[in-house]
Amino acid sequence: MQPDDLLSALRDRRILAIVRGNDPDAALDAVLALFRAGVDLVEVSLTTTGALAVLERARAVLGPYAALGAGTLLTAADARAAARAGAAFAVTPGLTEAVGEAQSLGMPVLAGAVTPTEVALAWTEGATAIKLFPGSLGGPGYLRALRDPFPDVPFVPVGGVDAEAARGFLAAGAVAVGVGGPLVGTAARAGGDVAGLPARIAAFRTLAEEFPCPTS
């Protein structure tokens, strides 16, 4: 996946689904259920038990072109392991050494940042988009303030993003929002309500459709 491909996917889908949990089989089921339901931009957090195996198994089922990424990359070793497991893009919680390593491996990066200094550094270092994390810290008002000095930076708030917060962030100009539990539910943790995914997906898609994606 090229950086432009990830940015286009974020702009088109508006929802980045985040899968994390303590049951590898349930996490895999959740990933596959998301793709089957049309949410085809998915991150598997490395905090998930057996995350690398989940990525490998999902990639084998979904094929080489699925927009399947790895999140919570902290080290260069994390980035290398994620690439070997089939991750197409990398997501970091901050300006970790995984940012540069992932780029060197050809993976576009959604780099975590929260302060203006961090945003500027991440953007200068070639991040494809900025993961505003934790999004709940400042909320949509903080995103609006950040977009004043950084109008051309694509922001993806993550952390504490439920349906209400998603509406606020999209209205404030986020290109997409990263959503874990409120979208995936308990499916990835312990084989929970996969059957309820379509309804939750529909709710978040309705929110995304309310607001046109910003051009910058």
Side-chain angles (χ1 to χ4, degrees):
M1 174 176 271
Q2 298 299 312
D4 285 349
D5 296 330
L6 176 58
L7 186 55
S8 293
L10 290 167
R11 292 189 187 282
D12 290 344
R13 277 65 160 186
R14 313 300 304 280
I15 303 293
L16 168 64
I18 302 169
V19 172
R20 61 173 65 88
N22 54 20
D23 183 327
D25 290 332
L28 177 63
D29 288 345
V31 171
L32 298 180
L34 285 162
F35 274 91
R36 284 195 299 267
V39 177
D40 54 358
L41 183 60
V42 178
E43 165 199 338
V44 176
S45 171
L46 290 195
T47 60
T48 297
T49 302
L52 296 174
V54 172
L55 283 165
E56 289 176 351
R57 294 165 67 192
R59 179 60 69 195
V61 173
L62 297 169
Y65 302 112
L68 177 67
T72 324
L73 274 60
L74 299 177
T75 66
D78 286 342
R80 292 191 292 270
R84 288 194 298 270
F89 62 93
V91 185
T92 71
L95 292 174
T96 71
E97 65 182 22
V99 173
E101 185 67 14
Q103 290 174 317
S104 74
L105 295 167
M107 288 192 291
V109 180
L110 182 57
V114 67
T115 68
T117 298
E118 291 170 348
V119 170
L121 285 172
W123 193 239
T124 299
E125 291 181 11
T128 299
I130 301 300
K131 169 184 171 178
L132 183 60
F133 179 78
S136 58
L137 185 63
Y142 184 64
L143 173 59
R144 284 193 184 89
L146 277 178
R147 291 195 73 233
D148 283 341
F150 300 109
D152 298 325
V153 173
F155 287 97
V156 182
V158 177
V161 180
D162 57 12
E164 180 179 357
R167 178 182 284 107
F169 281 124
L170 293 170
V175 297
V177 290
V179 189
L183 174 64
V184 180
T186 61
R189 293 198 294 276
D193 184 22
V194 171
L197 270 175
R200 295 193 295 271
I201 289 168
F204 274 94
R205 280 183 169 160
T206 297
L207 289 175
E209 290 169 0
E210 291 181 25
F211 306 98
C213 185
T215 57
S216 62

